[in-house]
Amino acid sequence: MERKKASDFPQELLELFDRYVHGGIDRRTFLEGAQKFATGAVTATMLWESLRPNYAWAQQVPKDDKRIKTETATVPSPKGNTNIKGYLAMPAKAKGKLPAILVIHENRGLNPYIEDVARRLATENFIAFAPDGLTSVGGYPGDDEKGGALFRTVDRAKMGEDFIAAARWLKARPESNGKLGAVGFCFGGGIVNMLAVKLGTELAAGVPFYGSQPSAEDAAKIKSPLLIQNGGLDKRILDGAPAFEAILKASNVPFTAHVYENANHGFHNDTTPRYDDANAKLAWKRTLEFFNKYTRS
């Protein structure tokens, strides 16, 4: 399939797809709304297919890259869904103890894009663990539509406890220097914010990419440094940003918020047309600099 860009689609269609991805409408309603953008050669179903992820595009670091080693690990989660499985990646020839970074997926489960993000961190001399919030229902099924359906069946509070358990397990691993960071995308960005609330100073640094903000009461509990990354066209997330940032500022929390011009929700995910190459690379560069600052000293 030819890689397309966000600019190849009407913004109204992209926003309609965003509503579909986040459960605001079902596939049938999306197709009905997309019909106005269909032509004789391009049907609404073809538009839907062209906006879906293509995971062949996501592999920046091959699974067999000799610089890293990977494995599947299972973490006990007694307050959650008993346990949570995930993808562990670290440098193949690590010297000394390293910072540990939790990588949190979108609302589809642990897909190939998120596994690749973990490998990218491992090539930068971090220990990375990407848990699968769908563990209790069999794990990511290999298909985003099925993953989204499964996601809606998992108890959200228990899933949150699973991520907390994974974070503490990762922080305590023998390879870890005891400094924990977390990066997440979409749903995962919201989980990064939740971890900042729940873990307090246990979290050394958090990077939420276009994540939903916590309540005002919870936001006031945050102590961890945050690097907030949002797309300039992502009105749904940007609407809550000023109030959240005002609370962080009032609480003297070290944070930086970047809004990337003309970038959509999901702009870092390089498997869909919403990917914005220049902004994604800049945001990732800032992410690595942030983690190096707060998790290595």
Side-chain angles (χ1 to χ4, degrees), residues 94-173:
K95 295 181 180 179
K97 295 183 181 294
L98 300 176
I101 310 297
L102 196 73
V103 184
I104 308 151
H105 56 67
E106 303 150 316
N107 64 347
R108 295 295 191 265
L110 180 55
N111 60 37
Y113 155 63
I114 296 297
E115 290 184 346
D116 196 73
V117 171
R119 293 195 295 272
R120 295 173 206 176
L121 284 163
T123 66
E124 297 290 341
N125 214 30
F126 294 98
I127 304 164
F129 183 61
D132 188 352
L134 297 182
T135 298
S136 64
V137 289
Y140 176 69
D143 176 272
D144 268 32
E145 304 310 308
K146 294 178 181 177
L150 286 173
F151 190 87
R152 292 189 288 273
T153 70
V154 181
D155 183 287
R156 194 61 61 87
K158 286 188 176 182
M159 191 191 293
E161 291 293 342
D162 291 339
F163 286 113
I164 291 171
R168 286 178 167 148
W169 171 86
L170 180 61
K171 178 182 171 72
R173 282 190 64 87

Side-chain angles (χ1 to χ4, degrees), residues 247-262:
I247 293 171
L248 295 176
K249 185 175 181 180
S251 300
N252 294 315
V253 174
F255 80 95
T256 302
H258 293 292
V259 176
Y260 296 87
E261 186 176 359
N262 294 323

Side-chain angles (χ1 to χ4, degrees), residues 22-220:
H22 293 93
I25 57 175
D26 59 16
R27 178 183 171 185
R28 179 178 178 179
T29 304
F30 169 80
L31 292 174
E32 289 174 351
Q35 191 61 45
K36 67 183 288 186
F37 304 104
T39 64
V42 181
T43 65
T45 299
M46 291 170 68
L47 289 171
W48 179 73
E49 289 286 356
S50 66
L51 288 166
R52 296 180 67 209
N54 182 336
Y55 289 116
W57 296 333
Q59 193 174 92
Q60 294 187 22
V61 180
K63 294 180 180 180
D64 60 355
D65 193 300
K66 301 302 181 184
R67 295 172 294 172
I68 64 173
K69 56 183 180 180
T70 64
E71 63 181 84
T72 298
T74 301
V75 178
S77 179
K79 294 183 179 180
N81 289 292
T82 307
N83 63 66
I84 182 167
K85 294 182 179 179
Y87 185 74
L88 182 67
M90 63 182 71
K93 298 179 181 179
K95 295 181 180 179
K97 295 183 181 294
L98 300 176
I101 310 297
L102 196 73
V103 184
I104 308 151
H105 56 67
E106 303 150 316
N107 64 347
R108 295 295 191 265
L110 180 55
N111 60 37
Y113 155 63
I114 296 297
E115 290 184 346
D116 196 73
V117 171
R119 293 195 295 272
R120 295 173 206 176
L121 284 163
T123 66
E124 297 290 341
N125 214 30
F126 294 98
I127 304 164
F129 183 61
D132 188 352
L134 297 182
T135 298
S136 64
V137 289
Y140 176 69
D143 176 272
D144 268 32
E145 304 310 308
K146 294 178 181 177
L150 286 173
F151 190 87
R152 292 189 288 273
T153 70
V154 181
D155 183 287
R156 194 61 61 87
K158 286 188 176 182
M159 191 191 293
E161 291 293 342
D162 291 339
F163 286 113
I164 291 171
R168 286 178 167 148
W169 171 86
L170 180 61
K171 178 182 171 72
R173 282 190 64 87
E175 306 93 342
S176 167
N177 68 357
K179 295 289 184 70
L180 173 70
V183 59
F185 308 87
C186 184
F187 162 78
I191 292 295
V192 171
N193 289 329
M194 180 274 288
L195 292 174
V197 173
K198 299 288 188 180
L199 296 182
T201 56
E202 289 183 77
L203 183 68
V207 184
F209 275 77
Y210 28 86
S212 59
Q213 300 89 2
S215 67
E217 180 182 2
D218 280 345

